[in-house]
Amino acid sequence: MKPRDTHTAVVRVLYLARLREELGRADEELVLPEGVKDVAGLAAFLRRRGGTWSEALAPGRAVRVAVNQDMARSSTPIREGDEVAFFPPVTGG
Amino acid sequence: MKPRDTHTAVVRVLYLARLREELGRADEELVLPEGVKDVAGLAAFLRRRGGTWSEALAPGRAVRVAVNQDMARSSTPIREGDEVAFFPPVTGG
Amino acid sequence: MAVRVQTEDFDAGREIERLRHGNPKVGAVASFVGVVRDLNEGDAVSELTLEHYPGMTEKALEEIVAEARSRWDIYDALVIHRVGTMKPADQIVLVVVTSAHRGEAFRACEFLMDYLKTRAPFWKKERTGAGSRWVEARASDEAAADRWS
Amino acid sequence: MAVRVQTEDFDAGREIERLRHGNPKVGAVASFVGVVRDLNEGDAVSELTLEHYPGMTEKALEEIVAEARSRWDIYDALVIHRVGTMKPADQIVLVVVTSAHRGEAFRACEFLMDYLKTRAPFWKKERTGAGSRWVEARASDEAAADRWS
């Protein structure tokens, strides 16, 4: 692996279940924009894409987030190499 | 069946589990003594037999009673033809 | 709905299958198996004998099941209780409850066990190194049953 | 202790047997089977598809089981959750808990179901006469899970 430039911190983002269908994609590699440090920041960044993004991730929608496969909060930090998943409230069992 | 004399009302009495062992018998047919009208009366009559009877059925001992296979209380009436069972607190399950 | 008192062992998996069979509204099946432990009150148990009061036993179990049905919205319930002589690790009792949702199934299943423990005429006698002894009723079982009244 | 996420069906009876096998201290086995119902929110359901988040699912279930072990005095716990497409009356989930006494087994089993329902990354999509739809999370499930905190 070659050393990464600090300005191109990459995270892997997953969209699951209904969110995957609404957004039309299952995952993406994303270069963390300057200033995005936590879950709330990433969600805000994604909403700024507009269209279905702003709807599906609107603050009023029940969206859950996991960082590195642990349930996360708005304030959970996001760092290079993290896996961040957005999904609806779970309905298993 | 021939009609019974009202003074020879017979009940069937059962002794179960530890009580059967302590009393040395599993059951008996008993002519209800004059004045015995309920569970408390029958227990008092049996205690008057003395020996293990007064011990096994002593008021302080945890003894349960069923009349006609329903859990009973001291005041539950006893009538001719009834099946009355004395036994310790149950321990199944 | 059924209660069975028997000396033979039972197949819990098959009973679970059978109780819900044919009812596509069942979403939840709660069950409980009671097993002979090799230790009681600190003493090794080599054998357990269950005595009951034939006639009253079935009646008492049926009343307990009817009570569960009146309290919770369940589809069906099964109680199998063995009598006779058993060894450690043998199955003693099975309770299965079916319902649409899990809350009712869990409640009714635990209620059935608690009531069965304190109201159905079974008595356990266990054999230990020191001989045979009748198992004492536990205050915690009474307390468990009292929760429901 | 084990968690399994699989497309295949399971044999509840065999899993119950296996979980207690070899431990003669087990006196109580509580279990729960969740089943696909043919009706949800008033609509006939012909098919149910369960999606999950591979990797996180197993981890979440293992954490839930570890939490149950830390809260109750249980010997072992098993969670099997199916994924993929199922029909009404098919089994979805199995939870089995063994312990010395029934109280712990019932508590832990119900806790596992409540937490699994609200914390493990599974999603249900059902097919009805009107097409396919994602199942909505139920507030009653959140309330059930909140009882334990």
Side-chain angles (χ1 to χ4, degrees):
Chain A
M1 278 186 41
K2 56 182 182 180
R4 288 184 189 276
D5 182 298
T6 55
H7 292 289
T8 58
V10 172
V11 294
R12 180 171 159 74
V13 187
L14 309 181
Y15 309 101
L16 292 151
R18 182 167 53 204
L19 227 52
R20 180 190 64 248
E21 291 186 352
E22 289 178 2
L23 297 172
R25 69 195 306 172
D27 55 14
E28 63 180 304
E29 298 268 304
L30 198 78
V31 175
L32 268 189
E34 192 79 38
V36 169
K37 293 184 162 55
D38 56 19
V39 166
L42 180 59
F45 167 77
L46 294 171
R47 275 196 297 275
R48 283 196 294 273
R49 289 173 170 175
T52 52
W53 293 90
S54 60
E55 288 162 27
L57 302 174
R61 291 288 300 273
V63 174
R64 303 287 184 262
V65 185
V67 175
N68 298 328
Q69 307 185 348
D70 277 325
M71 291 301 296
R73 305 160 167 271
S74 301
S75 59
T76 302
I78 293 177
R79 297 188 185 87
E80 179 173 2
D82 282 351
E83 177 176 296
V84 185
F86 290 84
F87 47 79
V90 303
T91 56
Chain B
M1 277 185 41
K2 57 183 182 180
R4 287 183 190 277
D5 183 295
T6 54
H7 292 288
T8 58
V10 173
V11 294
R12 182 172 157 76
V13 188
L14 309 180
Y15 309 101
L16 292 151
R18 183 167 52 203
L19 227 52
R20 181 192 63 247
E21 291 186 353
E22 289 178 2
L23 297 172
R25 69 194 306 170
D27 55 13
E28 62 181 305
E29 297 269 303
L30 198 78
V31 176
L32 268 189
E34 191 80 38
V36 168
K37 294 184 162 53
D38 56 20
V39 166
L42 180 58
F45 167 77
L46 294 170
R47 274 196 297 275
R48 284 197 293 275
R49 289 173 170 175
T52 53
W53 293 89
S54 60
E55 288 162 26
L57 301 175
R61 292 286 301 273
V63 174
R64 303 287 184 263
V65 185
V67 174
N68 297 327
Q69 307 185 348
D70 276 326
M71 291 302 295
R73 302 158 169 273
S74 302
S75 60
T76 302
I78 294 176
R79 298 188 185 88
E80 179 173 2
D82 282 352
E83 177 176 296
V84 185
F86 290 84
F87 47 78
V90 303
T91 56
Chain C
M1 170 151 55
V3 309
R4 304 213 298 268
V5 180
Q6 61 188 47
T7 53
E8 313 84 65
D9 195 13
F10 50 81
D11 180 336
R14 200 179 69 160
E15 300 297 343
I16 289 171
E17 282 285 323
R18 281 166 61 165
L19 198 70
R20 72 182 186 85
H21 186 76
N23 183 353
K25 296 191 179 358
V26 170
V29 187
S31 48
F32 180 84
V33 178
V35 177
V36 182
R37 295 191 304 140
D38 69 350
L39 199 79
N40 194 29
E41 307 285 334
D43 297 310
V45 173
S46 60
E47 203 175 82
L48 185 74
T49 301
L50 262 143
E51 173 177 331
H52 75 127
Y53 178 2
M56 177 170 171
T57 318
E58 293 78 359
K59 191 176 165 184
L61 292 176
E62 272 160 18
E63 283 168 5
I64 293 167
V65 169
E67 178 71 23
R69 287 181 79 98
S70 77
R71 291 184 181 218
W72 292 281
D73 193 10
I74 62 178
Y75 289 127
D76 220 335
L78 169 72
V79 176
I80 300 179
H81 203 299
R82 292 178 66 199
V83 292
T85 298
M86 286 157 249
K87 301 272 184 201
D90 282 355
Q91 302 184 117
I92 305 172
V93 61
L94 171 69
V95 173
V96 187
V97 176
T98 61
S99 64
H101 303 291
R102 72 189 184 289
E104 282 87 357
F106 274 120
R107 287 291 83 62
C109 189
E110 192 166 9
F111 168 86
L112 286 168
M113 276 307 302
D114 286 349
Y115 262 43
L116 181 160
K117 280 252 177 196
T118 53
R119 305 195 176 191
F122 294 100
W123 299 273
K124 286 186 182 127
K125 192 175 195 177
E126 58 194 8
R127 184 185 294 171
T128 70
S132 282
R133 66 186 182 195
W134 291 97
V135 172
E136 294 288 333
R138 294 169 11 139
S140 61
D141 285 332
E142 287 292 339
D146 285 348
R147 289 182 301 159
W148 304 102
S149 52
Chain D
M1 171 154 52
V3 309
R4 304 213 296 269
V5 180
Q6 61 189 45
T7 52
E8 314 86 64
D9 195 12
F10 50 80
D11 180 336
R14 200 178 69 159
E15 300 297 344
I16 289 171
E17 283 285 322
R18 281 166 63 164
L19 198 70
R20 73 181 187 86
H21 186 77
N23 183 354
K25 298 192 179 353
V26 170
V29 187
S31 50
F32 180 84
V33 178
V35 177
V36 182
R37 294 192 304 141
D38 69 350
L39 198 79
N40 193 28
E41 308 283 334
D43 297 311
V45 173
S46 59
E47 203 175 82
L48 185 73
T49 300
L50 262 143
E51 173 177 332
H52 75 127
Y53 177 2
M56 178 170 170
T57 318
E58 292 80 359
K59 192 177 166 184
L61 292 177
E62 271 159 20
E63 284 168 4
I64 293 167
V65 170
E67 178 71 23
R69 287 181 79 96
S70 76
R71 291 184 181 218
W72 292 281
D73 193 9
I74 62 178
Y75 289 127
D76 220 336
L78 169 72
V79 176
I80 300 178
H81 202 300
R82 292 178 66 199
V83 292
T85 298
M86 285 157 251
K87 301 272 185 202
D90 282 356
Q91 302 184 117
I92 305 173
V93 61
L94 172 69
V95 173
V96 187
V97 176
T98 61
S99 65
H101 302 290
R102 72 188 184 288
E104 283 86 356
F106 274 120
R107 288 290 84 62
C109 189
E110 192 166 9
F111 168 87
L112 286 168
M113 277 305 304
D114 286 348
Y115 263 43
L116 181 160
K117 280 251 176 195
T118 52
R119 303 193 178 194
F122 294 99
W123 299 273
K124 287 187 182 123
K125 191 175 195 177
E126 58 194 9
R127 184 184 294 171
T128 69
S132 283
R133 67 185 182 194
W134 291 97
V135 172
E136 293 288 334
R138 294 169 10 140
S140 61
D141 285 332
E142 286 292 340
D146 285 347
R147 289 182 300 160
W148 306 102
S149 53

